[in-house]
Amino acid sequence: MTAGVDSPLALDALAGLWQDPPTLPVKWLYDERGSRLFDEITRLPEYYPTRRETEILTARAAEIAATTGAEMIVELGSGTSTKTRLLLDAFVAGCDPGGSRISYVPVDVSDEMLSVTAEILSADYPDLDVVPVVADFTEPGLTLPVANGPRLAVFLGGTIGNFTPDFRVEFLDRLAAALAPGDYFLLGADLIKDTGRLVAAYDDKSGVTADFNRNLIEVLRTGLDARNLYADDFEHIARWNPAEHRIEMWLRTRRDVNAWFEVLGKAWHLPAGAEIHTEISTKFEPAALAAELASVGLPAVAQWTDVAGDFLLTLACRRESP
Ligand SMILES: C[S@@+](CC[C@H](N)C(=O)[O-])C[C@H]1O[C@@H](n2cnc3c(N)ncnc32)[C@H](O)[C@@H]1O
């Protein structure tokens, strides 16, 4: 669907596409098709994070429910909420019969994925109040719905790795301010490991991640009514940045691109070999992440990895004053 000149996509395109290197916020990767492709990525043999995080949640969900006693789970970037079902099962099972109902608030920019997911969850969990919210969690003024008891904010899938270090601290600060003392935060983060495995996870043999990345060009083409802009003119690149310990995804032009954005009234020229920066996925070290959380008033109460030590779940509690 074409957006207007003052739409969020147009404003982000104006702010990012003429920069050096050109860039766009990660959220634009997640239109309806992008969200479906990401879901496919989570099942790829090379993409270990989803399986590893599932392993930890399977082992720890009951403990998380008992420790937090949360009455509301707010999940940022919930996607299909597939892994979250492990938490929902544990919270519903631990709930007092006749006591207050548990609410689940999935928050995502991908409105189609969110509404389909919320409908399925409502049918599958009659004892749960499912309240989907379409929102951009990177916007200032992050707030969480009010609850009668403790709340658990959940941020899974290693999505925290999409933030630059500066924005990560700003985001965690905002989240800590949105939480009340006694609320909890459950964070999934991917760990630093062998470069070959990391790169393979973002450049799979079947090319699904390449399609996911190139879909950004489709989002620009359809959203900004572009001429002479074709996804096939871009090659998917995934590379490890050792200084920043992160995987970076880029799109490299295969030939000169001379596109025209009707909505912006602007031309976009990229020479062959030019690179657009599309996503970062930072990898962490457990103690450093715990220190970062503690510095914003969210000290860790537990950290767990899967047996192979690939992925990390941190449960943090909002302390009295951040
Ligand atoms: C890496 S996926 C993780 C999905 C799911 N939590 C999981 O663990 O598999 C990131 C999710 O965050 C959503 N997302 C990305 N940027 C967002 C933003 N700025 N605001 C809200 N949701 C966002 C995407 O639509 C997607 O569902």
Side-chain angles (χ1 to χ4, degrees):
M1 205 207 306
T2 304
V5 69
D6 53 1
S7 67
L9 177 60
L11 296 175
D12 283 345
L14 283 170
L17 293 188
W18 285 269
Q19 270 186 32
D20 185 17
T23 188
L24 264 193
V26 171
K27 68 177 177 186
W28 296 111
L29 287 166
Y30 292 93
D31 69 336
E32 193 175 358
R33 178 165 181 264
S35 297
R36 267 190 281 113
L37 286 168
F38 179 76
D39 190 40
E40 226 179 290
I41 288 172
T42 64
R43 290 187 292 273
L44 292 170
E46 296 94 333
Y47 197 78
Y48 62 85
T50 305
R51 282 186 297 279
R52 300 305 195 217
E53 195 175 33
T54 301
E55 179 188 324
I56 308 169
L57 284 167
T58 303
R60 302 295 178 179
E63 190 177 339
I64 294 165
T67 304
T68 64
E71 298 204 349
M72 176 184 282
I73 301 168
V74 182
E75 182 172 10
L76 305 174
S78 47
T80 57
S81 302
T82 307
K83 282 170 293 185
T84 320
R85 283 171 173 261
L86 294 162
L87 288 174
L88 301 179
D89 290 341
F91 275 85
V92 168
C95 194
D96 287 340
S100 27
R101 284 166 68 87
I102 306 279
S103 324
Y104 173 54
V105 184
V107 179
D108 209 290
V109 275
S110 185
D111 48 355
E112 297 89 354
M113 176 67 86
L114 187 63
S115 58
V116 170
T117 300
E119 225 171 278
I120 297 171
L121 287 175
S122 296
D124 289 352
Y125 292 88
D127 294 332
L128 192 71
D129 292 326
V130 181
V131 189
V133 174
V134 179
D136 179 342
F137 53 59
T138 63
E139 290 287 321
L142 177 71
T143 55
L144 303 179
V146 176
N148 293 328
R151 293 170 299 185
L152 172 65
V154 175
F155 200 29
L156 299 180
T159 310
I160 188 86
N162 294 154
F163 300 157
T164 60
D166 284 352
F167 184 74
R168 192 167 69 235
V169 172
E170 192 178 323
F171 170 82
L172 291 173
D173 232 352
R174 285 181 197 161
L175 181 68
L179 293 167
D183 284 343
Y184 286 85
F185 178 42
L186 183 67
L187 177 63
D190 197 9
L191 297 174
I192 298 170
K193 59 181 63 62
D194 169 68
T195 308
R197 279 183 69 209
L198 284 169
V199 172
Y202 293 84
D203 195 7
D204 61 280
K205 282 206 180 78
S206 49
V208 183
T209 314
D211 279 351
F212 171 72
N213 196 10
R214 274 198 295 261
N215 185 53
L216 191 66
I217 300 300
E218 274 304 299
V219 168
L220 288 172
R221 192 181 65 75
T222 52
L224 300 177
D225 194 8
R227 318 267 156 81
N228 296 326
L229 186 65
Y230 308 103
D232 284 350
D233 285 346
F234 293 82
E235 182 188 357
H236 166 67
I237 308 285
R239 68 168 80 98
W240 175 243
N241 177 334
E244 303 282 354
H245 42 90
R246 67 192 189 198
I247 288 285
E248 296 178 354
M249 294 208 317
W250 298 79
L251 286 171
R252 183 190 291 151
T253 52
R254 292 189 159 117
R255 55 182 70 87
D256 291 356
V257 168
N258 294 299
W260 172 259
F261 292 114
E262 191 61 32
V263 165
L264 306 179
K266 261 177 98 74
W268 195 37
H269 301 297
L270 297 168
E275 292 188 352
I276 309 168
H277 193 194
T278 56
E279 191 191 90
I280 60 171
S281 187
T282 307
K283 308 302 167 188
F284 295 90
E285 192 276 309
L289 189 58
E292 218 170 279
L293 287 165
S295 75
V296 297
L298 293 169
V301 294
Q303 285 193 301
W304 305 286
T305 68
D306 54 288
V307 171
D310 283 339
F311 202 88
L312 176 74
L313 259 195
T314 302
L315 181 65
C317 184
R318 166 77 152 78
R319 70 160 180 258
E320 278 305 319
S321 50

